Amino acid sequence: MAEREREPHFCAINDPSCSQGLQAVWGCGNQFFVFPGKKAILLNERRPLLMKEETIREVKWDMDLHRPVLRKLVNESHNVFTCLQEQAKKTSGAALHPHIIRSSKQYRASLKAYSLELKILADSTIDEEQKQDFLDHLQLLEMAELIWGLCEILFIDSPAGGLVIAPLLEWLRFHFQTGEQMFLEIIREEQPEHHPLYWDTIYRLVLQGQAEHVRRLLSLHSSKHSKAFSSMDELLKKMPQHTQLFRGHSIAEFDMKWRHWRDECERRLEEGEFSSYGNLETIGKILTGNDEVFSEFRDLCETWYHMLVSKLLYQNPTIKGFDLQYHIQVCLDEYRSNTRIGELDNILLSALEYDIHQVIKDSSAVFSNWWFVAHLTDLLQHCGQLDSHKLQFGSNLREFLLLEYATSLMSHKSLWIVGVSYLDHCPEFGRKYLEHFMENISIDSEKKAQKLLHICQERNLAEQAKSICKVMGRRHMQHKRLGAALTWFLKSKDVALSTVIAERFLFEYSEKGSFSNLDLIDNLGPSMLLSNRLTFLGKYREFHKLYEEKEFQAAGQLLLSLLQAKLAPKQFWVTLLVDAIPLLEAQEVIFSSAQTFDLMHCLEELMREFKDIDVREKEKLALLRLALTRNLSRAIVTEGTVRRT
Amino acid sequence: MVSVINSVDTAHEDMIHDAQLDYYGTKLATCSSDRTIKIFDVKSGQQTLVSELRGHDGPVWQLAWAHPMFGNLLASCGYDKKVIVWKETNGTWGKLYEYPNHDSSVNSVQFAPHEFGLILACGSSDGSISIISSAGDGAWDAKKINNAHSIGCNAVSWAPSISPGALLDQSVRQQGVKRIATGGCDNLVKIWREEEGQWKEDQKLEGHSDWVRDVAWAPSIGLPKSILASCSQDFRVLIWTNDGTSNDWTSKTLNKFNDVVWHLSWSITGNILAVSGGDNKVSLWKETLEGQWVCISDVTKGQGQVTESQKGSSS
């Protein structure tokens, strides 16, 4: 992936035939074919040894999104994405903000739903390798949720006054659930205090600021009526809650309250109110923010960021987001000996340092697909959090990542359509990308062709629309489905190929004496004006209809006008003239003397130009000549009669 | 994460020189020193041999698919100095046209962007380039650029049909200007343009110190600049850019590899370049927002970290 500062991914192929060179050819999206061998061997080059095994391999990457279970996440988040883009068109600034926050929560909900689904899948999988794969993926998802949650607090849903402890606590509770789970388990015990993890659970809950839960557990202790227990219960009950901040209390007020409360905690601790119960004393130390006790609870905090929040809750409950970074180091040091700083830690660190760019950069590298960074970055862009980075890049980070995400969907057999929608929201390169993809998405059915055409037409991609129609028309033509072919050529207003088809129809008629695809020809409407040949086809068919309906006069006039306007191809004149015979032989006179002369003129012209007319046709034309002469005499007589009256 | 998801056993009896996927990625054509061309259906993970084309009297070097709007057409060129255009009619492939007018091995062939019609260009070891076009009525017309590259032309690549500049300024619309980039044994990359029906040398790009093996014009993504990649026997890949307003081309070394670089291939949208060659690796390169070219992935032969699980399971 881009922006990677680490080693690129490697994929090795164990095949000796690949030792003579490798080449690759692109497919659609993140896919190519790798094959052994090299290009043309030039004249004075040594020919390589003959290699037998010649296997071509299809290689794909960023395949995560192609997992069947992921389809739901892709579709759900797509809905969230498009809704937000629509909102962003209508509103901006403060009015848009609630929508951004809602979107962020929806994304997280989709992520959560997906990870639950994956968990169920992992649990039910027997194949070890597959299971491990699911578990690895699940781990990444949990990481994504964690990072997203923190980013939401710091960059998207920034709390009033910049006070972050309350949302951070919620974030902790969401991701560190051992305390809560144990709580539920222990309260069901007959003698909760004898549960081996009774006190550990209480500490965990205290570290997450769950005063009510702690009180509940303490009330289940057999010594609950002792002075020490009552005293602790009182303290916990009095603990100022951050929720008060949202109920109109000012920060200063809250701060003062907290100070008072802590003073009281300290006083009671110093006066030895808990001295007979070591555990209660420990709780007291946490409440007063004692550094040593936090070090002691390294394991219960599990991670540096849990410790950071727990510690700040009791030491600095009104800390602002921007100041968090000054307290990180101490917590990190507590865990230093344990493990190396991992990728997740680095990303969280960058977030806490408000280095958004670094968060995105590192996340691009860690996650095996672009889902995470593309959507998060889109939100951040809408929040205005990325404005300051604009100059640094010269181009838009949001679009860069959305393009990647869309591209990774393009090689999927059905999700490509989601990719198209993302490209719509990339103002700079989206359209060009789409043009390229449209030319390369396989048109494997009539339905898909319609779908692709619709996409092109909606977006005014005229060239691509034309190309799709051409491809489809050609295909039908090859299979001799002339009607279907013409339909496609008409769609793209393709003059040349419509003409070719019209000619084939006419040829077919002169061969068989009947038309196929009558429906289509009858309903050509104004589209017959696309080419002369098509107009002729339409008109000629109209002639047949008139004739069938016994509108001989109209039919005769139309036939003549077709010949006179030179719309008909010369090769077809024989057919047209022969068609005139029954009209000439009709009871009433249809062609006037002048018109008969015109017909005779056409016949003469035809005879002159086509010397080698075959015998059968010559016979027909002789018949025509006879009919014409007969009609002429009839016409003259009729005309004479008419004039006299 | 890059992974091998399928393999196709081509059963070619000698080295494969080229493989080309059709526009829709559903058919894969391969050509080999065994003189044959094979066409495989590779739709949705299935690989079936559809056809085997015989007609060349020597190794077949390169293949090119025409846009499907012209039907199913495939062009091939080879050591036998010939360019052959093949056509599929109702499932059967046959020769549509044969172009015999080169005096030496024809190394490279490529169809022009479909907007120009059915046109193809080829480059030969005789140093010349041919531009062959069909009006669609079965007649073919050829124009030849003689002495395009001394000692031989190794690669041809068409520029996208819409010159990027056209997007910026409608008044200088350059749509319709046909341009070709070629590379040869004179270590040069050259750009040719058609003016009033005549092909003229437009640019001579000097940058490589050994034979140029491949040139690849990047698809336009609407930016005013043109991007061209070239690779050479000098182990280097150069990226040439033109800002679309002047005639100046500047080059940047993408990377110096450990062996000869044979083959370049841009992704459909031109955002990733695949480079491959004698070091038995295919590496993917991408330009970051900062304008740096970075390697993002590697497919390599050997005992690596990720082994191919499907080995031998070709169907």
Side-chain angles (χ1 to χ4, degrees), chain A residues 1-3 8-15 18-28 32-45 47-48 50 52-62 393 395 397 400 404 429 432-433 436-437 439-443 463 467 470-471 474-475 478-479, chain B residues 1-8 10 12-19 21 23-24 26 30 33 61 67-69 88-90 104 107 114 154 211 213-214 219-223 262-263 265-269 271 274 276-277 280 282 284 286 289-290 295-304 306-308 311:
Chain A
M1 287 180 193
E3 309 271 313
H9 278 306
F10 273 91
C11 172
I13 295 171
N14 287 306
D15 181 349
C18 295
S19 57
Q20 301 268 351
L22 268 185
Q23 300 192 62
V25 52
W26 282 92
C28 192
F32 60 55
F33 286 83
V34 178
F35 56 101
K38 41 170 130 176
K39 293 186 65 176
I41 293 147
L42 301 179
L43 297 179
N44 45 356
E45 276 184 304
R47 273 194 62 77
L50 186 109
K52 263 295 183 195
E53 200 193 332
E54 300 291 7
T55 304
I56 295 184
R57 290 169 176 84
E58 185 179 357
V59 173
K60 286 193 180 182
W61 60 98
D62 296 352
F393 295 117
S395 175
L397 183 62
F400 182 83
E404 290 294 346
F429 300 120
K432 268 285 160 190
Y433 266 59
H436 288 301
F437 283 129
E439 295 267 14
N440 288 277
I441 289 173
S442 82
I443 314 178
E463 274 299 319
S467 149
K470 258 204 168 111
V471 170
R474 279 261 183 204
R475 238 185 244 178
Q478 231 195 25
H479 291 98
Chain B
M1 186 56 176
V2 184
S3 47
V4 176
I5 60 159
N6 274 312
S7 37
V8 190
T10 63
H12 273 301
E13 284 164 12
D14 205 337
M15 179 176 269
I16 301 176
H17 298 293
D18 195 21
L21 215 49
Y23 266 72
Y24 299 141
T26 56
T30 60
S33 266
W61 299 137
H67 192 278
M69 68 165 62
E88 185 231 51
T89 325
N90 298 327
S104 184
N107 300 317
H114 64 78
N154 303 331
W211 296 353
R213 296 307 300 236
D214 203 0
S220 150
I221 52 159
L223 281 179
W262 296 104
H263 191 70
S265 169
W266 290 99
S267 65
I268 285 169
T269 53
N271 62 337
S276 51
N280 304 321
V282 176
L284 300 182
K286 187 171 170 55
L289 286 167
E290 289 90 349
C295 178
I296 54 168
S297 268
D298 234 326
V299 175
T300 177
K301 174 253 157 195
Q303 277 77 40
V306 184
T307 48
E308 183 198 356
K311 171 110 172 78

Side-chain angles (χ1 to χ4, degrees), chain B:
Chain B
M1 186 56 176
V2 184
S3 47
V4 176
I5 60 159
N6 274 312
S7 37
V8 190
D9 184 5
T10 63
H12 273 301
E13 284 164 12
D14 205 337
M15 179 176 269
I16 301 176
H17 298 293
D18 195 21
Q20 291 292 335
L21 215 49
D22 73 342
Y23 266 72
Y24 299 141
T26 56
K27 282 197 218 69
L28 182 70
T30 60
C31 62
S32 153
S33 266
D34 69 6
R35 304 178 177 204
T36 65
I37 296 163
K38 295 188 185 193
I39 297 171
F40 298 88
D41 195 330
V42 291
K43 214 182 313 183
S44 57
Q46 303 282 315
Q47 305 95 20
T48 34
L49 179 66
V50 178
S51 209
E52 189 174 316
L53 315 183
R54 291 173 185 271
H56 279 286
D57 306 318
V60 190
W61 299 137
Q62 207 174 45
L63 300 168
W65 289 94
H67 192 278
M69 68 165 62
F70 303 109
N72 283 332
L73 297 184
L74 181 72
S76 60
C77 63
Y79 183 73
D80 61 0
K81 310 173 190 173
K82 281 193 277 197
V83 175
I84 299 179
V85 180
W86 310 81
K87 183 182 167 81
E88 185 231 51
T89 325
N90 298 327
T92 320
W93 284 88
K95 250 189 229 183
L96 178 69
Y97 173 65
E98 197 173 299
Y99 178 72
N101 294 342
H102 277 289
D103 304 324
S104 184
S105 175
V106 184
N107 300 317
S108 182
V109 64
Q110 200 188 40
F111 276 103
H114 64 78
E115 291 88 341
F116 294 135
L118 189 56
I119 304 179
L120 59 88
C122 57
S124 162
S125 282
D126 67 10
S128 68
I129 301 162
S130 293
I131 292 99
I132 309 165
S133 57
S134 158
D137 51 3
W140 293 77
D141 175 52
K143 283 177 188 143
K144 209 163 170 187
I145 307 171
N146 284 312
N147 303 316
H149 289 277
S150 50
I151 332 174
C153 171
N154 303 331
V156 293
S157 173
W158 286 84
S161 77
I162 299 171
S163 166
L167 291 168
L168 289 189
D169 187 356
Q170 295 291 330
S171 64
V172 287
R173 272 183 80 85
Q174 294 190 317
Q175 181 162 17
V177 177
K178 302 185 184 107
R179 286 188 295 170
I180 304 175
T182 57
C185 291
D186 51 6
N187 310 346
L188 293 174
V189 171
K190 287 185 176 181
I191 295 171
W192 310 83
R193 73 155 64 222
E194 193 194 41
E195 270 172 38
E196 291 154 4
Q198 294 302 310
W199 284 90
K200 290 180 180 154
E201 186 179 305
D202 187 52
Q203 290 292 324
K204 189 187 281 179
L205 308 179
E206 294 173 56
H208 286 293
S209 55
D210 206 333
W211 296 353
V212 178
R213 296 307 300 236
D214 203 0
V215 286
W217 209 302
S220 150
I221 52 159
L223 281 179
K225 65 178 180 183
S226 292
I227 303 174
L228 187 66
S230 64
C231 65
S232 153
Q233 208 84 356
D234 69 6
F235 298 10
R236 286 185 305 146
V237 171
L238 299 182
I239 303 288
W240 303 86
T241 48
N242 167 259
D243 61 10
T245 52
S246 71
N247 258 333
D248 300 331
W249 287 79
T250 51
S251 73
K252 190 181 213 171
T253 305
L254 176 112
N255 192 33
K256 180 149 191 202
F257 293 83
N258 298 321
D259 206 319
V260 177
V261 193
W262 296 104
H263 191 70
L264 299 170
S265 169
W266 290 99
S267 65
I268 285 169
T269 53
N271 62 337
I272 306 177
L273 178 69
V275 178
S276 51
D279 61 356
N280 304 321
K281 274 186 186 176
V282 176
S283 50
L284 300 182
W285 298 80
K286 187 171 170 55
E287 192 177 14
T288 64
L289 286 167
E290 289 90 349
Q292 294 299 313
W293 286 90
V294 293
C295 178
I296 54 168
S297 268
D298 234 326
V299 175
T300 177
K301 174 253 157 195
Q303 277 77 40
Q305 296 86 329
V306 184
T307 48
E308 183 198 356
S309 53
Q310 277 88 353
K311 171 110 172 78
S313 68
S314 58
S315 47

Side-chain angles (χ1 to χ4, degrees), chain A residues 243-280:
Chain A
T243 43
Q244 290 166 348
L245 268 175
F246 305 112
R247 291 196 211 111
H249 288 243
S250 73
I251 299 176
E253 248 176 308
F254 179 81
D255 214 27
M256 202 173 67
K257 263 187 148 177
W258 189 281
R259 228 173 281 227
H260 276 301
W261 175 76
R262 189 160 58 201
D263 286 348
E264 195 177 339
C265 293
E266 257 160 30
R267 188 180 50 78
R268 293 192 190 199
L269 199 59
E270 271 164 32
E271 287 172 359
E273 281 193 18
F274 314 117
S275 55
S276 41
Y277 295 94
N279 297 319
L280 292 185

